[in-house]
Amino acid sequence: MTLKNITIVKIGGNVVDDPEALRRFAAGFAQMPGRRILVHGGGKEATRMSQALGLTTTMIDGRRVTDASTLDIVTMVYSGLVNKRIVALLQSLDCNAAGLCGADAGLVKATRRPPRDGVDFGFVGDLDLNGVDILTLSWLLESGITPVFSAIMSDGKGQLLNCNADSVASCLAKACARVAETHLVYCFEMPGVMRDIDDPKSVISSITPESYARLRAEGVVSKGMIPKIDGSIAAVEAGVRTVTIKHASDLLKPSGTIITL
């Protein structure tokens, strides 16, 4: 069997946290044609667990600072509770999902991020194409398995690392683009990238690297949307056919913000 097209879908934590929204998304995802990979967040669940244990959550530009205690929590929450909840839901919809993190079968390796500008993110990982075992991943897809990735990776030397789920989706899409036509979709609780967060009709239909620079300078794009669009632009530059940011309930509809060069 030869892979013809692959769709990478990343689902945000706000949808993961809402059982009804997650159910609707899963129903759409299970109906998607072709080979699929799902990448999920779960930050709010991890934050709640941290608070319950009396730990402080620190975020910088939408990314979680991860000390040793936080790493334990995000591993348990992302790769355990959240991942298996999604896998069980997809299995109930006849989607043959398998829950994975990057350490499983050495599928995705990361390197620990060094301190930058005086900021030490702790056990946070950065990704590149050389860290993806695209041969094993392709075998899973060709076997009819739908990988469901949490954002926990490893460095290949025994150390787990917390990675940004948007970056994981982008990296996987770039790797898959080497073997098949690949599409990347970021799904969350908003209809796309909006000029006015309070106006659902203000969706920006398309973003280029040039317009992105202006939108970021104006503050229209900030916080968690920054890594999402950074990853989108990197993906299309690496050969991913399309990148779309849209509402999770619109997965099967032509809508949202398209990232182009």
Side-chain angles (χ1 to χ4, degrees), residues 17 32 34 47 118 131 135 137 158 177 180 189 200 203-204 213 215 220 224 240 248:
D17 284 344
M32 291 179 65
T47 298
L135 292 179
L137 188 57
E189 73 283 0
V203 174
I204 302 169
L215 291 167
V220 174
V240 174

Side-chain angles (χ1 to χ4, degrees), residues 45-211:
E45 191 83 53
T47 298
R48 283 196 293 270
M49 182 67 73
S50 295
Q51 292 172 342
L53 295 174
L55 300 174
T56 300
T57 298
T58 302
M59 306 290 289
I60 299 176
D61 288 337
R63 297 180 187 269
R64 185 181 300 266
V65 177
T66 307
D67 60 15
S69 296
T70 302
L71 180 64
D72 288 346
I73 290 171
V74 297
T75 300
M76 289 186 290
V77 172
Y78 297 169
S79 295
L81 177 63
V82 173
N83 186 268
K84 301 315 172 190
R85 182 187 293 159
I86 294 172
V87 168
L89 178 56
L90 289 175
Q91 287 286 351
S92 74
L93 296 166
D94 295 323
C95 176
N96 192 19
L100 300 167
C101 75
D104 293 314
L107 284 169
V108 186
K109 294 183 177 67
T111 56
R112 182 170 174 175
R113 180 180 303 170
R116 299 174 183 171
D117 300 323
V119 177
D120 185 353
F121 280 90
F123 295 100
V124 166
D126 289 320
L127 301 140
D128 63 55
L129 285 178
N130 294 329
V132 179
D133 181 356
I134 190 60
L135 292 179
T136 301
L137 188 57
S138 295
W139 176 81
L140 288 171
L141 292 168
E142 289 171 351
S143 299
I145 294 171
T146 297
V148 178
F149 277 96
S150 73
I152 301 299
M153 306 294 134
S154 80
D155 64 359
K157 302 174 183 178
Q159 178 62 59
L160 293 173
L161 296 168
N162 181 25
C163 294
N164 180 273
D166 291 331
S167 299
V168 172
S170 176
C171 185
L172 287 171
K174 288 184 286 186
C176 288
R178 292 179 167 182
V179 298
E181 179 180 311
T182 299
H183 304 269
L184 173 58
V185 182
Y186 287 113
C187 287
F188 66 146
E189 73 283 0
M190 306 299 285
V193 182
M194 298 184 295
R195 289 190 175 277
D196 181 354
I197 197 68
D198 296 318
D199 182 4
K201 296 182 180 180
S202 67
V203 174
I204 302 169
S205 60
S206 66
I207 293 177
T208 65
E210 292 76 17
S211 66

